[in-house]
Amino acid sequence: MPRGRPWDCRSRLRSRSAVTLPTGRDEAAPTPAEAVSAKVASVQPVGGETAGQPVAIESFLAELVVFREAAAAALDGVADSAGLEQARIEFLGARSGRLKAIQKLLSGLALADRPAGGRHFNEAKGAVTALFAAVADRLAAGGAAGATAAAIDVTLPGEPVRLGHVHPITQTIRRVQEIMARLGFESVDGPEVEDQWHNFEALAIPAEHPARDPLDNFYLAVARGSDPLLLRSQTSTVQIRVMENRQPPLRIVSLGRVYRPDTADATHYPMFHQVEGLLIERGTTMAHLKSVLRQLASSFLGGDVHVRFRPSFFPFTEPSVEFDMEWGGRWIEMGGAGMVDPAVLAAVGYDPEDVSGFAFGLGVERIAARRYGVADIRDFYRNDVRFLRQF
Ligand code: DAH
């Protein structure tokens, strides 16, 4: 218990105390527990006056001090609910508790002293009642008295559990998938280890094409027969895999990792992610392509984003374009796109006279960097939580 309580003037007051418990019991027969507590109380009689007899205010206040002190001391030693109940009966018992006895003295105070006496009485009653409640809480929380209560301080703040969250690149992938789903594009996956057919040939990239140079690709030491395998260098492979297995109409989007032996710098990394979109239907035009890209850009970046096409070349689209988005007052290069080359449609067994379509591809890191204002894409892979925590 804390020492030096505000009512610690007890020694001075106690010496002047001459008040005793009323002797006449005018109440119904006590319960066994109250009988015990009455016995305890009688060991330390409070005074000799009977109710109604004059009581000096000093004596009255001294009684309150003794009461508070004794209650606090008794509660200090309480170790279980039975002990607590016993102490409650002794100090706060409605029939013959020590507080009740002091209450009876109130009527003996001079009229002028009664308001002050009442106030002190209520104060003492409130304080001791609160002490009882605190001990009851402590016992309910499983803490025993003394040592255990001191060892476990239930008022200390807990240790915060740090929750992780989804990586900004994964967040970006999910966001693009969500936007494209609203436009009717189904999300599909493809393998990261690819063969020559899916990564190059079916996409009209012939054997002599510089894109197949071993220095520009991660060829694996293992091969499938005489067919070299490689880590895919683009997600356009998924276009072929889907078209080989399904019939048009088709709307798919595929987001995943691709690999190129680039030296890592602020805008390059040997592994990065691409978004691949493909739509095959009757009567598709470049206007459809442009409006889909514009919808994607506007939803992803927010606001009304304009899209611009610049003529370009990709082996698997004809015509081919590079597309830019106007964002923050600047035109920003986003990726490549075009109408799927009839040679590609024929390679997967489609009739180019019957169906047409468009395809587009863009870098996930690039759009994530734009959106979040990240200047160096290597930051996405440093796994520094101080950086990652911001998204
Ligand atoms: N695969 C191309 C690249 O990695 C990007 C691309 C361009 C994808 C045009 C497409 C497309 O689907 O139509 O550079």
Side-chain angles (χ1 to χ4, degrees):
M1 283 300 292
R3 295 287 151 212
R5 286 175 293 269
W7 60 86
D8 238 348
C9 51
R10 64 194 179 283
S11 50
R12 179 174 59 83
L13 289 171
R14 196 188 275 155
S15 60
R16 291 211 255 146
S17 166
V19 186
T20 52
L21 252 188
T23 48
R25 299 186 62 89
D26 54 357
E27 302 172 59
T31 62
E34 282 182 324
V36 171
S37 85
K39 227 184 263 166
V40 172
S42 69
V43 174
Q44 212 183 4
V46 181
E49 291 98 333
T50 51
Q53 282 183 357
V55 178
I57 183 74
E58 294 84 348
S59 309
F60 181 79
L61 295 180
E63 282 311 318
L64 287 176
V65 170
V66 170
F67 168 75
R68 287 170 77 146
E69 173 68 5
L75 281 175
D76 245 358
V78 162
D80 54 28
S81 56
L84 181 65
E85 178 59 8
Q86 195 182 323
R88 192 196 62 76
I89 291 166
E90 179 186 345
F91 290 95
L92 301 174
R95 285 182 183 165
S96 50
R98 290 169 67 165
L99 187 68
K100 185 77 190 169
I102 297 172
Q103 189 182 353
K104 287 179 183 159
L105 302 176
L106 261 174
S107 58
L109 287 176
L111 268 184
D113 289 336
R114 275 192 206 163
R119 211 172 52 246
H120 282 96
F121 176 87
N122 285 334
E123 229 174 60
K125 181 178 177 180
V128 172
T129 306
L131 272 182
F132 269 87
V135 174
D137 282 350
R138 189 187 76 204
L139 292 176
T148 318
I152 303 167
D153 184 350
V154 294
T155 65
L156 282 177
E159 284 198 14
V161 178
R162 284 234 176 82
L163 284 184
H165 65 75
V166 175
H167 191 280
I169 292 297
T170 309
Q171 287 185 38
T172 305
I173 287 173
R174 292 191 184 165
R175 179 85 186 109
V176 170
Q177 285 174 328
E178 197 183 290
I179 294 166
M180 294 306 291
R182 276 193 266 131
L183 296 171
F185 287 74
E186 176 196 346
S187 249
V188 294
D189 268 337
E192 289 177 26
V193 172
E194 268 296 5
D195 52 33
Q196 301 294 298
W197 171 254
H198 293 98
N199 202 87
F200 300 122
E201 266 145 45
L203 289 161
I205 302 172
E208 68 280 8
H209 197 283
R212 294 175 70 157
D213 194 309
L215 291 177
D216 290 331
N217 293 281
F218 284 112
Y219 283 95
L220 303 189
V222 290
R224 191 182 293 137
S226 61
D227 186 19
L229 296 175
L230 76 161
L231 295 178
R232 67 180 178 188
S233 62
Q234 52 182 349
T235 46
S236 301
T237 53
V238 187
Q239 292 184 27
I240 304 303
R241 291 195 169 270
V242 172
M243 287 192 287
E244 280 174 337
N245 291 304
R246 297 203 210 167
Q247 289 305 307
L250 273 183
R251 287 185 191 198
I252 58 111
V253 67
S254 188
L255 291 95
R257 293 189 188 96
V258 298
Y259 303 84
R260 293 178 194 176
D262 289 326
T263 304
D265 62 24
T267 54
H268 296 85
Y269 208 74
M271 182 282 301
F272 59 103
H273 296 76
Q274 284 187 332
V275 182
E276 188 79 20
L278 174 72
L279 178 147
I280 306 284
E281 281 170 25
R282 280 205 180 93
T284 313
T285 70
M286 294 282 276
H288 296 127
L289 168 62
K290 199 169 197 177
S291 75
V292 164
L293 290 174
R294 188 172 169 182
Q295 295 260 10
L296 171 60
S298 298
S299 304
F300 184 77
L301 296 171
D304 189 15
V305 179
H306 291 266
V307 168
R308 166 174 93 174
F309 283 169
R310 283 180 289 116
S312 185
F313 174 80
F314 295 100
F316 39 90
T317 46
E318 182 60 37
S320 301
V321 295
E322 307 243 0
F323 62 97
D324 306 333
M325 295 173 186
E326 192 189 18
W327 195 55
R330 289 202 303 141
W331 286 102
I332 296 158
E333 262 183 54
M334 298 306 283
M339 301 306 290
V340 179
D341 194 304
V344 173
L345 295 175
V348 296
Y350 285 3
D351 178 1
E353 297 298 324
D354 184 28
V355 289
S356 57
F358 64 71
F360 63 88
L362 64 154
V364 174
E365 280 75 1
R366 182 180 288 191
I367 59 172
R370 292 275 173 252
R371 180 166 176 209
Y372 296 126
V374 172
D376 188 334
I377 65 163
R378 287 172 293 188
D379 285 336
F380 287 128
Y381 301 115
R382 289 200 171 104
N383 275 344
D384 185 335
V385 285
R386 291 169 304 175
F387 171 80
L388 296 173
R389 205 183 275 150
Q390 305 172 79
F391 304 97

